[in-house]
Amino acid sequence: MVKAAKQPARTSVWLEGKARRGRGGSQPSGLDRDRITEVTVRLLDAEGLDRFSMRRLATELSVTAMSVYWYVDTKDDLLELALDAALGELRLPDPDTADEDWREQLRALAASYRALLVRHPWLSPLAGRYLNIGPNSLVFSRTVQRVVRRTGLPDHRITGAISAVFQFVYGYGTIEGHFFGRVADAGMTPDEYFQHSMSKVTEVPETAEVVEESKDLMAARGGDTVAEMLDRDFTFALDLLIAGIEAMVERG
């Protein structure tokens, strides 16, 4: 029995030479790749990753699905392009500005990345699926690396510090995005959803006991709204990480 040849593993649209090239011949429908990517991002924001399809995209563009495939070979290619397009929204500091404090630059990068993850909930699963080597991703990575280099950490600690900060931000922004998704599905405001959830969990003895034990922590947390509570926790957690970097620099 002859075995079928094993298909090579997919790498990246950016490595396979497909991100910048088009197909030969006349281009149909007056489309271009930038417009297709822009509409993809808009659809992902409106309907989510699970509901996205090439057919749905074609309908939104008022073209046939085959017209879309004139510009991208696969759905994965398109999603990878959309991922990098979203990363282009990040507001990045200039890491080479000598009079800028690395701490404030790191806080700005973390806040921008968190906001992006919340604004585009579909981004976090795609960031874990693809290589993230598009042009906008590389600019972000290079900026982060240059900022963290200015902390004074030795080279062999740089990647660990980057992981500590941005894996925290990735997790925080992802969970926050899930929360706002549940809020939207429930047709409530974040504060209404929070109050409703807290009242419900107190009706169950097992969860009520945990809530009762943490009442003092919730009160000490502060914040009159869900947004304030989330911001306070994020800010303090980030301050802890920055203090940890400072401590490691002093330790040498």
Side-chain angles (χ1 to χ4, degrees):
M1 181 177 179
V2 179
K3 292 184 178 179
K6 187 176 181 180
Q7 293 295 319
R10 182 183 185 277
T11 54
S12 168
V13 68
W14 306 104
L15 292 178
E16 296 168 358
K18 297 187 289 186
R20 297 178 180 84
R21 69 169 170 81
R23 300 187 180 186
S26 60
Q27 298 177 343
S29 311
L31 295 177
D32 59 53
R33 182 170 281 175
D34 288 342
R35 184 186 171 209
I36 292 172
T37 304
E38 178 186 347
V39 173
T40 296
V41 171
R42 190 169 72 237
L43 273 179
L44 288 167
D45 286 344
E47 301 179 3
L49 184 58
D50 290 342
R51 294 182 60 188
F52 178 80
S53 69
M54 299 296 271
R55 187 178 298 276
R56 176 70 185 90
L57 173 64
T59 299
E60 187 71 13
L61 290 165
S62 300
V63 299
T64 66
M66 290 307 298
S67 295
V68 177
Y69 282 113
W70 187 272
Y71 298 91
V72 289
D73 290 345
T74 68
K75 179 180 173 180
D76 277 318
D77 290 346
L78 181 56
L79 290 176
E80 200 172 1
L81 292 169
L83 169 63
D84 197 68
L87 289 169
E89 299 173 17
L90 288 166
R91 299 179 62 183
L92 306 178
D94 182 355
D96 299 321
T97 304
D99 59 349
E100 290 289 335
D101 189 331
W102 66 263
R103 299 163 187 80
E104 293 310 309
Q105 289 192 325
L106 194 58
R107 288 188 179 97
L109 284 165
S112 184
Y113 189 40
R114 172 198 171 193
L116 186 75
L117 290 163
V118 174
R119 188 163 63 249
H120 303 301
W122 51 268
L123 191 147
S124 58
L126 294 188
R129 183 184 303 176
Y130 301 120
L131 290 178
N132 299 324
I133 55 171
N136 291 318
S137 180
L138 292 178
V139 170
F140 176 52
S141 297
R142 185 179 294 115
T143 301
V144 168
Q145 185 180 111
R146 288 179 176 175
V147 168
V148 178
R149 279 184 180 276
R150 294 178 56 214
T151 64
L153 285 169
D155 285 352
H156 68 285
R157 299 299 188 199
I158 296 295
T159 56
I162 292 172
S163 295
V165 173
F166 287 94
Q167 288 187 28
F168 151 70
V169 179
Y170 176 87
Y172 199 97
T174 297
I175 296 300
E176 190 176 0
H178 289 332
F179 169 75
F180 285 119
R182 293 196 302 273
V183 167
D185 290 342
M188 300 180 180
T189 67
D191 296 331
E192 289 169 344
Y193 185 89
F194 177 75
Q195 294 300 330
H196 174 75
S197 299
M198 293 301 293
S199 66
K200 287 297 182 182
V201 297
T202 57
E203 297 174 1
V204 182
E206 292 79 7
T207 54
E209 182 180 352
V210 175
V211 171
E212 184 64 30
E213 288 181 5
S214 61
K215 267 188 176 181
D216 58 333
L217 297 179
M218 296 294 289
R221 180 192 205 185
D224 295 327
T225 67
V226 168
E228 289 176 354
M229 288 187 284
L230 289 171
D231 286 346
R232 288 189 181 198
D233 283 351
F234 180 82
T235 299
F236 182 66
L238 185 57
D239 284 345
L240 286 177
L241 291 168
I242 290 174
I245 292 174
E246 293 172 330
M248 294 302 292
V249 171
E250 291 179 4
R251 185 182 297 181

